[in-house]
Amino acid sequence: MLAGEKNLTIEDLVQVARKHKKAALSAKALEKAKAARKLIQDWIKQGKAIYGVTTGFGALCDRTIPSEEAKLLQENILKSHAAGVGEPLPEEVVRAVMAIRLQDLSQGYSGVRPETLTALLDLLNSDVVPIVPEKGSVGASGDLCPMAHLALVLIGHGQAWFRGRKMSGAQALAEAGLRPLCLEAGEGLALINGTQVMTAIAALAVHDARILAKTADIACAMSLEVLMGSNTEFDQRIQAVRPHLGQAEAAANMALLTDKSEIISSHKDCGRIQDAYTLRCSPQIHGASRGAMEHITKVVDIEINSSTTNPLVFPETEDFLLGGNFHGQPVALAADYLGIALAEFASVSERRIERLVNPQLSGLPAFLVEDSGLNSGFMIAQYTAAALVSENKTLAHPACVDSIPTSANKEDHVSMGTISARKARSILQNAAHVLAIELLCGAQALDLLTNGRPGPGTEAAYQAVRARISRLERDRILAPDIEQATEMVLSGEIVAKVEEKVGPLK
């Protein structure tokens, strides 16, 4: 990742956040920062009233701050705004936040010094991870509260993780060989006024959602085979007369996965006319969620490369402008949409699970276990899937339609975008568990079938599951199996094993 030189991609962000890839600042970024900072210093000397630089914040913007107190003002904003509660954000999210904030500030519109950019870069590259409570942001002015917790560590306050240990921000800096940053006028506000927390959560969720979409196609293809479904519904002629891209992609994936399936061929001339909707309409259902993800990806791509602070400094025209780029509405809407899209993957998967475990619908042994009665098999795994789907229905209610005014009604419409993003992440985790249960049920059903070999893609998925999780011969504790399968879903292992066999999925 080279901040200030080119656009940051979601994949770049994943590499920095999860793989601990080093970031760097371009020379161009440092020059831009230097030019913008010179203007800030000139305006301070001229006595200009600049929001957050020579004035108070929010509803206190009409209070002029003497120049000799400018540094204290910036430290105070970090301390006063660090009012978050709840569990800490995952370390990968905090690293992603730092990377996006670095990308924002490196564009040169914030007025921070080159030294401040370098301090944030060093914090990220030294793997000092500020401890940031997940709750407290209303999504405008940006993510003030969580960003304040992050920025506190830069000045030697707050708390952080370093080399697996929780410690004070001052100790973490010292052990990493870094010095606390002394903030200059306007820099405290510039560090916290932006949409980086909601955007980081959304960006990582979008990355994982792409894997989940492919996994949903794989799980569905496995279920369709063992439920004696038809792959006629994947015919591209059907998709061509309703040309939604996501629908065509899902259909193409499932056609590839079940190609030359002996199981499907074995019942080609049976009396069943049409499959249930969860099978027959799977390209349309999965495809609609894929279409949503395409839009959400575009929003996130724009946001991770935007400047979202206030005021914005434009050195080329020697202006500063007060605006609202910190408002999280674009990300809030997109994150809520993402949650809804992911909830649908889980919802349709749970209905396929029910068909698999119900002997009246599957024609297989009850709850996919021999000697049922003595053994309950996958009975309660379906309960778990149902519980997760029900929880998702509550989580999928959009947060962005709510707004509670803040800062003495100065900030009279807020986005709640960070709540939207956190909910989308929770829905994703629930959906991954549901798909994992479907994969376990599909693999178990294949063990119980004697109707020939599955398609090459579904067979690869079966082999991947069985390499880690054995067939259920009799009742055992299923929770570890579900967690193991969920790990395989979220890591992309299932998708990777299938793609090794059949080539890239769409």
Side-chain angles (χ1 to χ4, degrees), residues 48 101 120 147 152 165 176 182 201 225-226 231 254 265 277 282 303 315 380 386 394 425 454 505:
K48 281 192 175 184
R101 182 85 265 192
L120 181 58
M147 287 301 299
L152 274 175
R165 293 182 295 127
C182 183
I201 298 170
E225 280 188 311
V226 295
N231 58 2
M254 289 185 275
S265 298
Y277 281 6
S282 53
E303 197 71 9
I380 306 304
T394 301
R425 184 184 61 193
L505 297 176

Side-chain angles (χ1 to χ4, degrees), residues 169-225:
Q171 184 181 349
L173 292 180
E175 292 198 14
L178 304 176
R179 291 184 178 181
L181 180 68
C182 183
L183 296 173
E184 298 287 345
E187 291 190 314
L189 180 63
L191 285 168
I192 69 172
N193 198 357
T195 62
Q196 281 68 44
V197 176
M198 67 181 83
T199 305
I201 298 170
L204 295 178
V206 165
H207 173 271
D208 294 343
R210 293 170 178 169
I211 297 171
L212 210 69
K214 292 182 180 183
T215 309
D217 292 345
I218 293 167
C220 179
M222 289 181 73
S223 296
L224 178 135
E225 280 188 311

Side-chain angles (χ1 to χ4, degrees), residues 62 70 90 141 256 285 290 377 395 400 475 477:
D62 58 346
S141 296
L256 178 63
I285 299 167
R290 283 171 166 267
L395 290 170
C400 68
D475 279 352
I477 301 171

Side-chain angles (χ1 to χ4, degrees), residues 291-352:
M293 286 160 49
E294 185 68 24
H295 166 72
I296 296 154
T297 298
K298 290 179 181 177
V299 173
V300 171
D301 279 337
I302 290 171
E303 197 71 9
I304 63 177
N305 291 290
S306 295
S307 190
T308 60
T309 192
N310 180 56
L312 291 167
V313 180
F314 294 89
E316 61 274 16
T317 56
E318 298 191 357
D319 288 323
F320 69 89
L321 301 176
L322 297 173
N325 278 2
F326 51 73
H327 200 291
Q329 196 71 6
V331 181
L333 281 165
D336 278 328
Y337 195 15
L338 178 61
I340 293 167
L342 292 169
E344 282 302 286
F345 281 132
S347 181
V348 70
S349 174
E350 184 278 328
R351 289 292 79 200
R352 293 192 295 261

Side-chain angles (χ1 to χ4, degrees), residues 144-426:
L144 293 173
C145 178
M147 287 301 299
H149 282 276
L150 188 154
L152 274 175
V153 176
L154 279 171
I155 64 170
H157 292 280
Q159 293 183 309
W161 290 102
F162 184 62
R163 295 178 179 171
R165 293 182 295 127
K166 181 180 179 180
M167 60 188 72
S168 70
Q171 184 181 349
L173 292 180
E175 292 198 14
L178 304 176
R179 291 184 178 181
L181 180 68
C182 183
L183 296 173
E184 298 287 345
E187 291 190 314
L189 180 63
L191 285 168
I192 69 172
N193 198 357
T195 62
Q196 281 68 44
V197 176
M198 67 181 83
T199 305
I201 298 170
L204 295 178
V206 165
H207 173 271
D208 294 343
R210 293 170 178 169
I211 297 171
L212 210 69
K214 292 182 180 183
T215 309
D217 292 345
I218 293 167
C220 179
M222 289 181 73
S223 296
L224 178 135
E225 280 188 311
V226 295
L227 290 169
M228 298 298 169
S230 168
N231 58 2
T232 300
E233 42 259 42
F234 307 144
D235 193 304
Q236 286 302 301
R237 289 171 292 181
I238 296 174
Q239 326 316 322
V241 296
R242 195 191 193 193
H244 293 295
L245 178 60
Q247 176 179 326
E249 289 177 341
N253 283 346
M254 289 185 275
L256 178 63
L257 292 163
T258 59
D259 185 43
K260 299 177 182 178
S261 167
E262 293 178 7
I263 298 173
I264 291 176
S265 298
S266 71
H267 58 86
K268 184 176 182 182
D269 298 317
C270 73
R272 184 186 295 174
I273 302 301
Q274 292 190 122
D275 293 327
Y277 281 6
T278 51
L279 303 175
R280 180 163 32 113
C281 301
S282 53
Q284 289 77 14
I285 299 167
H286 291 191
S289 291
R290 283 171 166 267
M293 286 160 49
E294 185 68 24
H295 166 72
I296 296 154
T297 298
K298 290 179 181 177
V299 173
V300 171
D301 279 337
I302 290 171
E303 197 71 9
I304 63 177
N305 291 290
S306 295
S307 190
T308 60
T309 192
N310 180 56
L312 291 167
V313 180
F314 294 89
E316 61 274 16
T317 56
E318 298 191 357
D319 288 323
F320 69 89
L321 301 176
L322 297 173
N325 278 2
F326 51 73
H327 200 291
Q329 196 71 6
V331 181
L333 281 165
D336 278 328
Y337 195 15
L338 178 61
I340 293 167
L342 292 169
E344 282 302 286
F345 281 132
S347 181
V348 70
S349 174
E350 184 278 328
R351 289 292 79 200
R352 293 192 295 261
I353 294 167
E354 163 61 15
R355 301 192 77 82
L356 287 165
V357 301
N358 187 333
Q360 297 178 5
L361 299 174
S362 69
L364 295 164
F367 305 108
L368 299 174
V369 69
E370 294 167 331
D371 199 8
S372 57
L374 175 61
N375 296 294
S376 295
F378 286 87
M379 179 193 292
I380 306 304
Q382 185 266 328
Y383 286 32
T384 299
L388 293 168
V389 167
S390 182
E391 182 177 311
N392 280 352
K393 291 174 183 177
T394 301
L395 290 170
H397 179 82
C400 68
V401 298
D402 183 38
S403 176
I404 299 177
T406 55
S407 196
N409 219 39
K410 173 70 74 171
E411 297 162 4
D412 54 353
H413 182 280
V414 297
S415 74
M416 303 299 181
T418 307
I419 301 173
S420 302
R422 289 195 295 107
K423 290 196 305 93
R425 184 184 61 193
S426 294

